[in-house]
Every structure is written in C-alpha cells, then in structure tokens.
Amino acid sequence: MLQKLQKAVHVGALALSVSFGTVQVAASQTLADAMAMAYEHNGLLDQNRALLRAADEDVAIALSALRPIISWSGSVDYSYGRVRTPSFLGPVTNISRTPDAQIGLSASLLVFDGGAARLAGEAAKESVLATRQGLISVEQTVLLSTVQSFMEVVANREIVELRQNNLRLLERELQAAQDRFEVGEVTRTDVSLAEARLAGARAQLAAAQGDFAASQEFYAATVGTRPGNLVAPRSLPRTAKSIEDAKAVAIRSHPDMIQVQHFIAATELNVDGARAALNPSISLNGGLSVTHEFGANAFQEGASVGVSVNAPIYQGGRLSALIRKAMAQRDQQLANLHITRHSIRQQAGTSWSRLLAAGAQIQASARQVEAARIAFEGVREEAKLGARTTLDVLTAEQDLLDAEADRISAQATQIIAAYALLSSMGQLTVDQLNLKVTRYDPEAYYNLVKDAPVLKSKQGAQLDKLLKAIGKE
C-alpha cells in the first residue's frame, strides 16, 4: 500500500504539466523567484532580524559589567549666607558670596562577584543562538506562505479559465436547446434546464474570479509585489524517503527544536547566576577631584583608591525567590522541549500523510477526468440522436467540470504539501533550497557588537555603516 501511495506522488508530479502547462513568456515567474522576492522584501523577516540584533546587544550589555566603569562629574556652586549676633539688635554679618567650581573623575572595576556577570553573558549568548533559530523558523513560515499563495494564484487562475470555457460551452448548449425546441425536438423544460445551468455557471465563474482576486492579494502581501505570469513547478522538491526518516530529520534539525535546547541552556545558566548572587562582590574604586574657589583664587585637589566589598545578609527573601524563579523557568523549558518534540514529530507525520494523499488524489482525479470526458462526449452524441435528454448532457458536462476542478486543486495541494513537509523537517530555508538571494548573515552584526564597542571607536564606525546599509539608524 505504501509503495502505491509513493508511486502516486510521483505520478501526480508528472501530471502537473497537464493542467499548469501554460505558454511561458520572458516575464514568467517561477516559484523559486517568488520565494527569493519574499525573502528579500517580507517585513516579518525584517522585524525578526531586528529582534535578533537586539538580542546580540544583550551580550554586549552583559560583557560591560566586567569592564571598568568610568564617569566624570562637575558642578558650579554659589553660596551666600548671613548671621546675626546674639544681641537683640546686633549687626548682620555676611558669611560668603564666593562661587566655586568642582570637577571629578571616578572609576570602578568589578573584580569578583561569584561569576554572576560571566554567567549572565553566557546566558545572553545562548539566547542569541535561540533567537537565530527563531529567525529561521520565521523564514520557513514566510517561504511556506509564499508557496501557498503562489499555488493558490496558479490554481485559481486555472479554475477561472475552466469556468470561462464551461460558460462558453453552456451558451452553445443553450442555443442548441433553443434551436431544437423551435423544431419540436425538445420541450420547454429542456430549454429551462439549459438556462438554469448557464445561470449557475455564471455564478460559479463570479465566485472563481473572486477567489482569484483574493489569492492575488494574499500573494502581494506575502511576496511584496502582485503576481505576474506565474509558472507552476514541474516537479516536487526532494523530501524524505519514509515517514520515519522525515520524523528523524525533523527532531534533529527543526529550528523550533534547536531553539528550545538553547533556551534550556540559557535557563540553566540563569539558575547558576541567581545562586552566584549570594556571594560577595569585590570592586576596585578610584577617583580624582579638583575644587576651585574663584573669589579667593584657591583650589583643592584630591585622589582616592580603594577596595569595596559587598555581601548580602538579608534582603527579605528576594534572592531565594529569584533562585526558585530561575529554576521554574528552567523546568518550563524542559517541559517545552518534551512538547516541542512531540509536536514536531506530529507535524512531520501529518505532512508526510498529506503529501501521499495528495498524490493518490491526483492519480484518481486523472482517471476520473478521463472517464468523465468520455462519458460527456458519448452522452452528447447520443443526445443528438434523441437517445439522451438535455438534462443528461448537462449532468455529464458538470461531472467533467467538477473532475477537472478537483484535479487542479489536488495538484496545487500536492505541491503545497511537499513544501509543508520540508518545513516540518526544518529544511524549508534559502540555504536548503539554494535560492539566488543575498543571504542575511546573523553573525555579521554579532561579531561587531559582541565586544561592546563604544560609539567613537573604529568598530563603532563599522556598526554605523552596517546599520545605515540595512536602513536602521
């Protein structure tokens, strides 16, 4: 049974040329072209790339805690005061009217904190890796939406053409029924049946045109431009050889699975970091200050160097609560790994089954179309000889129309199912599909910011150029 279904998949792929084989022109657009445009212009990808850059900055923020913190301060003060002698009407004496200015420079360096800052940096790096996998997951969503919108446009376009051809045929059938009524070969009922079926065909054509217009809007929203002359793929992408292979690849390489694993690593580090907060912290501190009194033309200079030690004794249970919270978040991600694993296996199995079912449906539809066409042509010839009624002809024609429409839908469904299977396996990416696009490099920005460069440094200038290049300042 499995071999028959697999054969049906390949037969269905070859049958694509039967319905989708339209005339190609220079402006023809393939599915690969559409996916490439969606990858380069989809706003959802831009949004998640920005989220990834924000996660990259968290690594730099965590690293900054291990570096010296240097700051300056300045002030200008003007003091004025008066004093009266103890006597009742004693004179009032001015104390000071002298302005002075002060400027200072301070620096501190964390020497030891039990590893809390280092662990925070490692957790931030794991979060970056998880966010990268999230970006790949979004990439798969965008590409699969592109496949769906592309095939809906192609299928709906074919159905509109099918409905238009059927409408023209029914118009001829109505004219034939009216001519036969005039010579007394059929009754008025036969003419009314033809008129009713023609009105129904017009309604079906209007519905098909509405679906076609809606699918074009879906395509434009996904790809970023309205569809041109779309050419359906002639073959299916390479997927798995069996359902078990599909599930095994999915568990190993699906971005959602890898993302949860990185989240688990991050939460483990957060637990260790929360425990490290119970340790004392040691910092080196230093400072320089200069005070100048303008009126007296005097100044004062000072410098200090010291070591400070801080250790928690009691904070109302806050630190213990933070440890328990980190442990609960870790347990949440561990449970999420279990859920994600089963979900991915289910998606892979479901996608595999739908792909095989679509192939079998195409094979059956092809036989149905062939049989319905033979039946329609035979009934129409018999009707000319008076052996069949107008109703028989219209019914046979509707059966043929329904069979052809089902085949068109099944062919589109098969292609969508094949790419959905790739998505469930974690392989619907521009790298796996080898699309001709300028790939977004997630490491380019990370490598520039991971060392926490300052704005005026050479590396900071490179960052400015990069941000301008991607249109984000």
Side-chain angles (χ1 to χ4, degrees):
M1 181 64 181
L2 179 59
Q3 292 178 346
K4 292 181 179 180
L5 289 176
Q6 289 176 327
K7 181 180 179 182
V9 173
H10 297 294
V11 171
L14 295 176
L16 291 173
S17 59
V18 176
S19 177
F20 293 147
T22 57
V23 178
Q24 298 185 22
V25 294
S28 296
Q29 190 177 84
T30 65
L31 179 56
D33 295 333
M35 288 192 287
M37 287 190 294
Y39 178 80
E40 293 179 339
H41 300 101
N42 192 277
L44 187 60
L45 283 170
D46 290 337
Q47 179 189 36
N48 283 270
R49 288 165 184 166
L51 289 175
L52 176 57
R53 292 195 297 272
D56 293 341
E57 296 293 354
D58 287 337
V59 177
I61 292 171
L63 176 63
S64 66
L66 298 173
R67 291 182 171 179
I69 299 175
I70 304 173
S71 59
W72 69 272
S73 62
S75 65
V76 177
D77 299 316
Y78 179 82
S79 60
Y80 172 75
R82 296 190 303 170
V83 64
R84 184 186 296 275
T85 60
S87 62
F88 181 74
L89 296 177
V92 175
T93 304
N94 293 333
I95 298 178
S96 175
R97 292 176 179 266
T98 304
D100 59 58
Q102 182 179 13
I103 187 170
L105 183 68
S106 63
S108 64
L109 174 64
L110 179 65
V111 178
F112 175 79
D113 66 347
R118 179 187 59 80
L119 290 169
E122 294 298 324
K125 291 178 182 179
E126 291 293 339
S127 296
V128 166
L129 296 176
T131 308
R132 288 182 186 177
Q133 295 300 317
L135 179 59
I136 295 175
S137 183
V138 172
E139 178 183 325
Q140 289 205 139
T141 300
V142 169
L143 294 181
L144 183 57
S145 295
T146 303
V147 174
Q148 291 172 334
S149 63
F150 186 98
M151 295 311 304
E152 284 184 12
V153 170
V154 172
N156 289 332
R157 180 189 64 198
E158 294 289 332
I159 290 176
V160 167
E161 294 176 358
L162 183 65
R163 299 291 183 189
Q164 289 172 338
N165 293 335
N166 179 65
L167 183 62
R168 288 190 290 268
L169 183 59
L170 286 175
E171 288 173 345
R172 292 195 296 268
E173 292 290 343
L174 175 59
Q175 184 62 48
Q178 290 173 340
D179 293 342
R180 295 174 67 188
F181 174 72
E182 293 294 334
V183 297
E185 293 183 3
V186 296
T187 65
R188 182 63 188 173
T189 302
D190 295 301
V191 176
S192 298
L193 286 171
E195 290 175 342
R197 193 60 60 92
L198 178 61
R202 289 195 176 107
Q204 290 177 332
L205 175 59
Q209 290 172 334
D211 292 339
F212 182 44
S215 62
Q216 288 178 310
E217 296 299 327
F218 178 30
Y219 180 94
T222 304
V223 178
T225 182
R226 294 190 64 81
N229 181 32
L230 305 187
V231 180
R234 302 295 183 182
S235 60
L236 299 177
R238 296 183 61 182
T239 56
K241 296 181 180 180
S242 67
I243 187 172
E244 291 304 324
D245 287 342
K247 292 180 179 180
V249 173
I251 293 298
R252 184 173 62 252
S253 61
H254 198 284
D256 290 353
M257 192 73 180
I258 302 174
Q259 182 183 43
V260 175
Q261 293 170 346
H262 286 300
F263 276 140
I264 291 174
T267 53
E268 290 281 4
L269 291 166
N270 287 335
V271 171
D272 294 337
R275 288 172 176 161
L278 298 173
N279 296 319
S281 62
I282 304 174
S283 299
L284 292 176
N285 303 302
L288 294 173
S289 63
V290 177
T291 303
H292 181 72
E293 187 175 343
F294 293 107
N297 197 23
F299 69 90
Q300 179 181 352
E301 296 178 346
S304 64
V305 177
V307 177
S308 62
V309 180
N310 294 293
I313 297 177
Y314 177 71
Q315 296 187 6
R318 176 178 176 274
L319 297 180
S320 299
L322 289 175
I323 294 174
R324 293 191 297 270
K325 178 181 177 180
M327 294 173 65
Q329 291 173 337
R330 177 201 58 194
D331 295 341
Q332 175 197 7
Q333 292 300 331
L334 288 171
N336 190 28
L337 178 64
H338 178 76
I339 296 171
T340 303
R341 181 185 294 109
H342 284 283
S343 177
I344 289 174
R345 285 179 59 86
Q346 177 190 356
Q347 291 175 8
T350 301
S351 298
W352 173 266
S353 300
R354 287 175 177 171
L355 178 60
L356 293 186
Q361 185 180 0
I362 289 175
Q363 193 176 41
S365 296
R367 291 194 296 265
Q368 182 185 9
V369 169
E370 182 181 0
R373 179 175 290 109
I374 294 173
F376 169 65
E377 292 173 352
V379 170
R380 185 170 56 181
E381 293 300 321
E382 292 174 2
K384 292 179 180 179
L385 300 176
R388 292 283 186 171
T389 64
T390 301
L391 179 61
D392 294 332
V393 175
L394 295 175
T395 300
E397 182 183 358
Q398 186 63 45
D399 291 341
L400 175 59
L401 176 67
D402 292 341
E404 290 177 337
D406 289 343
R407 183 180 62 179
I408 292 172
S409 299
Q411 289 169 346
T413 299
Q414 184 194 42
I415 294 176
I416 295 173
Y419 282 95
L421 177 58
L422 281 181
S423 177
S424 69
M425 295 165 58
Q427 297 190 340
L428 186 60
T429 64
V430 295
D431 290 332
Q432 293 289 340
L433 299 176
N434 196 27
L435 297 180
K436 296 179 180 179
V437 295
T438 301
R439 287 164 172 75
Y440 181 82
D441 185 3
E443 294 186 0
Y445 189 84
Y446 175 81
N447 289 334
L448 288 175
V449 304
K450 65 180 181 180
D451 296 328
V454 296
L455 294 177
K456 301 301 181 180
S457 66
K458 180 179 179 181
Q459 201 167 346
Q462 292 177 335
L463 269 173
D464 289 340
K465 292 180 180 179
L466 178 60
L467 291 173
K468 290 179 181 178
I470 60 178
K472 305 290 187 301
E473 289 191 86

